[in-house]
Amino acid sequence: MKKTMLASAVLAVGAISFAAELRPASQARLPIGAVRPEGWLRVQLEKQRDGITGHAEELYDDIGKSDWLTNAGRGGQYSWERGPYYAKGLLSLAFALNDATLKEKAKKWVDAILASQQPDGSFGPKKRNWWANMIALWLVRDWAEATGDSRVVPFLEKYFTFQKAEFADCPISGDSMWAVARTGDEMDVVFWLYEQTGKEEWLDFARTLSKESADWTTYYRRGGDPGGSKSNGYRCHIVNFMQGLKTPALQWRLDGDPAKRTAYRAAFDPEGWVMRMCGRPDRMVNGSEPLIDRSATGGTELCAIAERILSCQTHLTVFADADVADDLEVVAYNSLPATLAPDGKGIRYYCLLNQPACLDQLLLFANNGDRTENVGAICPGPHAGFGCCRSNFHLAWPKFVQSMWMARDGGLAAVAYGPCNVSTPTADVVQGGDYPFGPNVRLKVAKAKGGEWPLFVRIPGWCKSAKVSVNGIDAGTSVAGTFKRIDREWKAGDEVTLVLPMETRLSRWEMNAVAVSRGPLLFSFEVPMEERTVKRYKVPYEKVWIDNFGGDFPRKELLPKGPWNYVLALGKGGTAEKNGMTEKGGATEKYGTKLSASGEKIDAVVSKVAIPADPFVPGNAPVTVSVPAVKSDFGGWGYMREITTGRAVDPPPSPIPDEDGVVEMVKLVPFGSTQLRITLFPWFSNPR
Ligand SMILES: [Zn+2]
């Protein structure tokens, strides 16, 4: 049964051509389960299986006793987004790991959702639950792609027929502005139904949804909306912002509007209003919960990280933009592991760039700062902030894994790199190498269909000197920021190798503070820490107390055990010096290099060791970058704020005056390998 669906997913790209009205997508998503993680990447998903995802139904009443399963009419959160959020991630995790127990658990949700459909076509615990239903639609569609379950297409047709009729009284905006912001999620499923059935009415319905959707194209470009809705508030909500990113790409398939083609890039243009106001070096945006300034101790929400990954996936199917795949990797390999607890038993609501302590105290964030419920929002544990993140984060790693490969032009595209294997009717390919910690990617064909077909490999935008070879023979020129197409009669045993040399680079942020990155990874100072389990805490936004350390899933406080007030010593430059690092791989090799940022230079030493079973556990970093720095308390740097004790003082304006402290080489590790960290550093021009 699964093979049939794999074939149909690949054929879907061709099937689109029967209706000229829907512009063809560049690539097709593979069904969940077609890409399986290996090695350290698999460990990230196994931690979820053994941790929160595998135990969510026991840990959280609003999931385990959800109205979606019990139909008990509890209402509130029991009948809204939390159950479907979790089930959508659970389903992807179950197929990515090919885990029978998790699949059985996921099937229970699918069966309950399908069985809940009423004769009028409505389904779920509430009749007009437009937003929460969008999540359920997505998960039954994923299920159908993976299993070929024939119940799903008639279920969707019946529901959309019902919804069309209801729109006269209750359009999308009649549900909530959340539903308006997230209409793209439903459009994605309606397109799928159209591709399955070829019925024009579903294309018409997609057009209706497109009109009902928030105007994200204008928002990403200029924030405001002349002549549009007066209530912009819902669009500056960080999760809506990330979730909306898929919408312009889907709308472009209907209208071909060039502004929609470039809406994603407008949102993340370094010179655009969003990145200049709220941007971060992990390509995320600060938002708590509305978009906020670029403070090093502003947060971005875990839901926003998960939804960004999913939006990148949709955008990549439509346009195959290599730069969006670069972003997908940056978010998955930095922001995501930095926000999760390394043992799989905790999440954080907010991810901070500079997070030298995680205290069970008030944090005073922009929106929910003065609420006692905000306590613990950056402490790893099963309850952090509002209940959305603990319900929604489950999809992030599995959807990243699904996106690593896509079907394209009768062949395959390697979209993101990391250890995995992909199995499709076209070919089975095993992906290995030390990427993203090192420059090497290996794609080994294990099985291939006959005849010539293309393999597309992504050349990251940051990599100016990529080398691609097939069976040891140079495959010719590669252009940074594109997919390189290799046509060939692929055979089992063929091997494509990519060497993607990484340069250590500086970028500048608020108060002229700098961040250090190398290839797709951001680097941070890992603050030495000690853990303390919280004995008693109140579940945020709920009248429930957790006593006696929370059993196997405690909330933890992380306390700094040493100073973190480093100021980078940038050399007195003059002209910018070209970064000249050479990657050779292997154990503990060291290379000297010069870093430059508008004239200032910094010496860096890169060290590598073999990748451990889990590189995202503190102390396990397989690659480090050492940079010269001094300790300084200039501008209060290195202290926690007096009133908002849960957060640190921001970097003072740089360059700070000459410091005469002892210059030492400070080791930085991948952002995703840290639990306490400093990522944005002040600096001074070192005259020595
Ligand atoms: Zn959330």
Side-chain angles (χ1 to χ4, degrees), residues 19 21-22 191 194 199-207 254:
E21 296 93 331
L22 193 60
F191 282 176
Y194 170 65
K199 292 182 187 168
E200 287 291 324
E201 61 182 300
W202 304 130
L203 205 51
D204 290 341
F205 186 53
R207 285 195 191 94
L254 292 171

Side-chain angles (χ1 to χ4, degrees), residues 363-385:
L363 298 161
L364 295 186
F365 282 116
N367 187 47
N368 40 15
D370 58 348
R371 305 274 298 269
T372 54
E373 287 88 345
N374 201 31
V375 166
I378 61 169
C379 289
H383 303 97

Side-chain angles (χ1 to χ4, degrees), residues 558-581:
L558 308 178
L559 296 93
K561 272 195 73 181
W564 46 266
N565 57 332
Y566 287 107
V567 175
L568 301 195
L570 301 190
K572 270 222 181 297
T575 54
E577 188 164 326
K578 179 97 179 86
N579 302 334
M581 191 160 57

